[in-house]
Amino acid sequence: MTVPFTPVSLEVDDALWGGFWHGDVISPGYTLPAAEAHFLRETRLTESITLPTPADYLAALQQALTAPRRSDEIVALEEFSARRICAGGWVVWLVNGEIVAGYPNTAPPHPAPLREYARRVMERFPDWQKVWHTLPDAAKIDRLIQHYRARRVATTAD
């Protein structure tokens, strides 16, 4: 059974502004399908994966979901409920039967790019909360998962 990645579009992280994607310059307000936005985050910001395409990234997440040994927990993300599945070296987040995020399940000591990403998310979170009421649910979920991950990285720093 294949679990789809949510079809929503997300605004690209500001740390990616000025970079290129599909021959285009990423600028403020630039949106991409969620799977591509997450792929860019993992390849360019956290530098946690070296998969060549978003399709390879999605295939790795699908494979993790079929791994025989895994942990599966329900996580309350403010007003949202999400499944956090750890399997096959990945963390995959599901909401309403769709993948909404996925990243490698790294252990400390975390690589420097991931620690820097976590630091940046922790700094930005108060600003995100100021505009919370204006965000669509998909953006809220994405930011809550980023914050959840950043807290875990920050509390297990070397």
Side-chain angles (χ1 to χ4, degrees):
M1 178 175 102
T2 301
V3 178
F5 210 105
T6 183
V8 301
S9 289
L10 295 173
E11 193 168 323
V12 177
D13 302 65
D14 60 355
L16 294 169
W17 294 352
F20 289 90
W21 184 243
H22 294 302
D24 233 353
V25 177
I26 299 172
S27 58
Y30 199 91
T31 61
L32 287 171
E36 291 183 38
H38 284 274
F39 172 77
L40 285 175
R41 187 179 294 147
E42 295 310 316
T43 57
R44 297 186 184 175
L45 296 183
T46 71
E47 297 180 20
S48 62
I49 62 174
T50 57
L51 299 170
T53 69
D56 296 311
Y57 167 67
L58 184 55
L61 298 179
Q62 296 293 341
Q63 186 173 7
L65 290 174
T66 62
R69 295 198 313 183
R70 66 187 206 179
S71 70
D72 189 338
E73 66 178 317
I74 302 298
V75 177
L77 299 170
E78 294 193 9
E79 71 264 31
F80 305 100
S81 179
R83 283 179 65 197
R84 181 179 178 270
I85 299 169
C86 298
W90 289 86
V91 176
V92 183
W93 290 83
L94 303 175
V95 173
N96 298 326
E98 296 176 328
I99 299 170
V100 295
Y103 46 84
N105 192 5
T106 60
H110 297 292
L114 180 55
R115 289 193 316 266
E116 175 59 24
Y117 160 83
R119 184 196 61 74
R120 190 171 49 251
V121 168
M122 297 297 282
E123 282 179 359
R124 303 268 337 267
F125 196 71
D127 293 331
W128 290 348
Q129 290 179 309
K130 291 176 187 172
V131 296
W132 204 249
H133 65 284
T134 67
L135 298 174
D137 285 350
K140 290 177 183 177
I141 291 167
D142 179 58
R143 290 176 180 192
L144 288 168
I145 290 170
Q146 287 183 66
H147 188 246
Y148 181 95
R149 182 185 188 188
R151 280 194 334 252
R152 289 178 71 100
V153 168
T155 60
T156 59
D158 10 284

